[in-house]
Amino acid sequence: MDRSYDVAVIGLGAMGSAAAYHLAARGLRVLGVERFGPAHDRGASHGGSRIIRQAYFEHPDYVPLLLRAYELWEALEHDSGSELMTLTGALMLGRPDSRTVSGSRASAQRWSLPHEMLEAAEIRRRFPTLQPRDDHIGLYEARGGFVRPEAAVDAHLRLAERAGADLRFFEPAAAWTALPGGEGVRITTAAQTYTADRLVVCPGAWAPRLLADLGVEFTVERQVQYWFAPRGGTEPFAPQRHPVYVWEDPAGVQVYGFPAYEGPQGGVKTAFFRRGTPCTPETLDRRIHPEEIAVIAEHLSDRVPDLPGRFLRGAACMYTTTADEHFVISAHPEHPQVTVACGFSGHGFKFTPVVGEIAADLATAGTTAHPIDLFDPRPRRAAEPRQEVPR
């Protein structure tokens, strides 16, 4: 069978669409296969918005990738003609010793990121939609905001096709096989079999199935996004008045939210960060239940008191989480011609364009100048516990 592609990409969601674009833009013959349609709502890259921020509480080593991601978001907007990133400011709230606040401050200080530390009274004055307790503080960074996931995936796909990529939708990958001696790969889909010199696997919630031999434990979790009509209307929640935020309570529970980016009729979006329930792509419950609406409304009632008014709608998506909550971005340990990008653990979308760039580097050169040691899938990661917070 003739090898007709330089690189194949499995999965054309956030990371796969970005990888396909960066590879095609380098003049390579690229095949992309995707089980659903373009920019679909069956995985993790939907819901209208994802937070973007730089003072990263998860780990300071992410910051250089974030700085590059911002550059690439701006380039993607320019090249695609799409509005993808809106900077509203970002506020990380909680007690001073909370992971959300202390981790954000550590990253900001290590990388000299512009930021302000605000006491509770100052937060209430500047952002009256938010009502923190007196013992809470916040780290505010003006360069925070949100990106639009569906529009971003669509932009990467359009640019990939413009650069010559062959993208096959509604064609799920059933399996892939690394050929002996590192001499290419074979990809079997529901329609046919393809071969390519290199492979990039961006499987999202299908990682446990397509990367079972990777040596990384993946947990797929159901997560729910909620939209409410605030009491008194959306004007106080307009993007120029209400920042994106992540708010950690004394028990370690984190909730996050957005401004009213869809106008008066779109409501205001919020969600818990983690607290998901295990699922598979086949068993994901897409219904939004009254009791879970009541739980988040109660949680917000004294923090964002005007928000939990009338419930408008909800959407379920999936986090694919690793044991330590860090990504997996690397050459496959057993197959150097295969690059993997997965396990983005609910905080990965903001990195989409730089992950695409890294995947293209690894697939073409076997290395990258970006710092990705944190994302190595070697077995040592199985011994690193997730950074748990009380629930």
Side-chain angles (χ1 to χ4, degrees):
M1 186 179 300
D2 291 336
R3 186 174 299 129
S4 55
Y5 296 97
D6 297 316
V7 187
V9 180
I10 292 178
L12 294 173
M15 307 311 174
S17 65
Y21 165 59
H22 280 279
L23 287 161
R26 299 181 188 190
L28 298 169
R29 296 168 298 169
V30 176
L31 167 71
V33 295
E34 164 59 47
R35 68 179 51 241
F36 301 114
H40 60 80
D41 64 355
R42 303 288 91 184
S45 302
H46 62 279
S49 58
R50 293 291 186 274
I51 288 177
I52 188 166
R53 50 195 167 88
Q54 295 182 354
Y56 217 59
F57 66 77
E58 286 86 346
H59 200 289
D61 286 357
Y62 285 88
V63 174
L65 298 182
L66 282 165
L67 299 178
R68 177 57 177 161
Y70 270 69
E71 295 174 348
L72 291 172
W73 280 119
E74 293 173 355
L76 183 61
E77 286 188 312
H78 176 271
D79 294 343
S80 67
S82 301
E83 182 183 355
L84 303 175
M85 181 169 64
T86 300
L87 299 184
T88 62
L91 190 61
M92 303 295 109
L93 296 119
R95 287 179 171 172
D97 61 349
S98 67
R99 182 188 178 197
T100 303
V101 173
S102 63
S104 298
R105 176 183 265 173
S107 285
Q109 292 175 340
R110 175 172 167 182
W111 295 103
S112 300
L113 300 174
H115 67 284
E116 301 175 71
M117 300 304 303
L118 305 179
E119 299 294 329
E122 179 64 7
I123 295 170
R124 294 192 292 263
R125 185 188 70 81
R126 288 174 58 172
F127 309 111
T129 50
L130 305 176
Q131 295 294 308
R133 300 168 15 163
D134 286 343
D135 63 342
H136 282 201
I137 65 171
L139 181 145
Y140 177 76
E141 56 173 328
R143 291 282 289 165
F146 63 91
V147 292
R148 293 165 174 80
E150 294 94 338
V153 173
D154 178 72
H156 274 132
L157 293 174
R158 285 189 287 110
L159 291 175
E161 287 191 309
R162 187 186 305 173
D166 180 8
L167 306 182
R168 309 290 182 96
F169 296 99
F170 302 104
E171 191 171 331
W176 61 268
T177 303
L179 300 179
E183 294 296 323
V185 292
R186 181 180 296 112
I187 305 98
T188 303
T189 74
Q192 58 184 299
T193 297
Y194 305 94
T195 55
D197 294 328
R198 300 276 178 164
L199 173 66
V200 177
V201 187
C202 302
W206 288 263
R209 183 180 310 162
L210 288 172
L211 293 171
D213 63 343
L214 194 61
V216 174
E217 178 186 352
F218 296 105
T219 301
V220 179
E221 297 178 347
R222 173 184 180 268
Q223 302 289 338
V224 179
Q225 306 164 78
Y226 305 86
W227 285 260
F228 290 93
R231 301 183 184 95
T234 57
E235 182 57 30
F237 292 85
Q240 64 271 25
R241 302 178 64 180
H242 177 82
V244 301
Y245 62 89
V246 179
W247 198 331
E248 184 176 334
D249 75 5
V253 175
Q254 294 167 302
V255 67
Y256 65 94
F258 298 84
Y261 57 83
E262 295 178 297
Q265 304 305 314
V268 176
K269 177 183 169 183
T270 186
F272 285 116
F273 187 43
R274 312 205 186 281
R275 299 192 76 189
T277 55
C279 69
T280 69
E282 293 75 25
T283 63
L284 172 64
D285 181 2
R286 297 188 180 277
R287 297 169 298 171
I288 311 302
H289 301 277
E291 56 271 25
E292 56 193 359
I293 298 168
V295 168
I296 195 164
E298 173 63 24
H299 191 86
L300 293 167
S301 61
D302 61 349
R303 295 174 174 85
V304 195
D306 289 335
L307 179 55
R310 180 168 54 92
F311 174 71
L312 296 177
R313 66 189 188 280
C317 67
M318 292 177 285
Y319 286 2
T320 306
T321 302
T322 64
D324 58 13
E325 296 178 359
H326 296 312
F327 309 157
V328 177
I329 311 172
S330 175
H332 192 290
E334 303 299 326
H335 310 295
Q337 72 270 47
V338 178
T339 297
V340 295
C342 57
F344 290 96
S345 298
H347 62 106
F349 194 90
K350 61 185 72 65
F351 296 88
T352 293
V354 72
V355 171
E357 185 173 66
I358 293 167
D361 290 344
L362 294 175
T364 56
T367 187
T368 181
H370 291 295
I372 61 169
D373 287 350
L374 186 63
F375 313 132
D376 192 321
R378 291 177 299 176
R380 66 173 178 81
R381 295 190 53 186
E384 296 178 4
R386 180 184 299 188
Q387 299 181 43
E388 290 285 359
V389 293
R391 296 300 185 220

